[in-house]
Structures are given as C-alpha cells and as structure tokens.
Amino acid sequence: QVQLVESGGGSVQPGGSLGLSCAASGSIFSINGMGWYRQAPGKERESVASITSGGSIDYADSVKGRFTISRDNVNNAVNLQMNSLKPEDTAVYYCNVKGYSLFRKVFDAWGQGTLVTVSS
C-alpha cells in the first residue's frame, strides 16, 4: 500500500505564487514517474507537470515558464512551485506517483487533492 499526502495550496491573487508538496510513503521499492495533475470545475483532469526518475521534465504548455516541478528522491517527495498564477490556474491539484511496491507490483497512486484558487 502506497499513500500520498499533499500539502500547500490555498488562495492567492493573480500574479502571486504558491507551492505544493507531495510525500509518498508505504510499501515502496522504487519510484519511476512523479507528477501533478489538475481538474478545474466542469473540466477533465489534465497533466500539469511530470518528472521521471532520470530527471526528465515535461510541462503543459499553459504553465511553461511559470511552474517548476522538482523531486526529492531521498524523501520520496515531489514539489510544484507555481509563480505568476492566473485565474485559469484555479483547480484541484492532484499528486500522482508511479513505481513498484516492495512486492514488485506496479502501483499508480493519487493524492487526495488540494484546492488552488486564484482570484482578486
């Protein structure tokens, strides 16, 4: 069993910054991909940023240059620094972690979601 605990988020004015963190724990043998998704009201969940075990990073076009993803391999954590936030960034943000459990089974775990609201 793998658990993800998210922290951060909240409300900010346009142009402001917020940081999200996600820590994975449990029966983890190895972690491959880590990433952040978001789901705005009335819209489908979309990928925001991802980072592989080798450090390859991918961003959604809408957040390039504003968001930065990073991972802490020692603590099995992934972070998302969000700058120059816009109202359209308002959404519930979910952490996602993929890897292998101690039983060598593939896992695909999701965080509980944290709300980010950008509004004046």
Side-chain angles (χ1 to χ4, degrees):
Q1 193 96 6
V2 176
Q3 299 84 34
L4 303 185
V5 177
E6 299 178 17
S7 60
S11 297
V12 66
Q13 293 186 341
S17 298
L18 284 174
L20 304 179
S21 295
C22 173
S25 63
S27 304
I28 298 171
F29 174 72
S30 65
I31 291 177
N32 299 333
M34 307 181 86
W36 290 92
Y37 289 71
R38 68 185 180 187
Q39 187 166 19
K43 294 188 176 181
E44 293 187 355
R45 189 174 298 189
E46 63 175 354
S47 176
V48 175
S50 62
I51 183 168
T52 69
S53 58
S56 295
I57 292 174
D58 189 42
Y59 293 104
D61 288 342
S62 59
V63 307
K64 283 181 180 176
R66 301 187 298 121
F67 290 12
T68 301
I69 189 172
S70 62
R71 60 187 285 170
D72 178 351
N73 292 325
V74 173
N75 296 306
N76 291 333
V78 61
N79 306 304
L80 185 69
Q81 179 62 38
M82 304 180 291
N83 298 328
S84 302
L85 283 161
K86 304 175 181 180
E88 51 263 44
D89 294 318
T90 296
V92 177
Y93 285 70
Y94 297 90
C95 171
N96 175 253
V97 175
K98 298 179 176 65
Y100 289 92
S101 72
L102 292 175
F103 306 101
R104 304 302 190 267
K105 291 198 179 288
V106 173
F107 70 83
D108 185 353
W110 290 89
Q112 77 277 13
T114 186
L115 179 62
V116 171
T117 303
V118 185
S119 174
S120 56

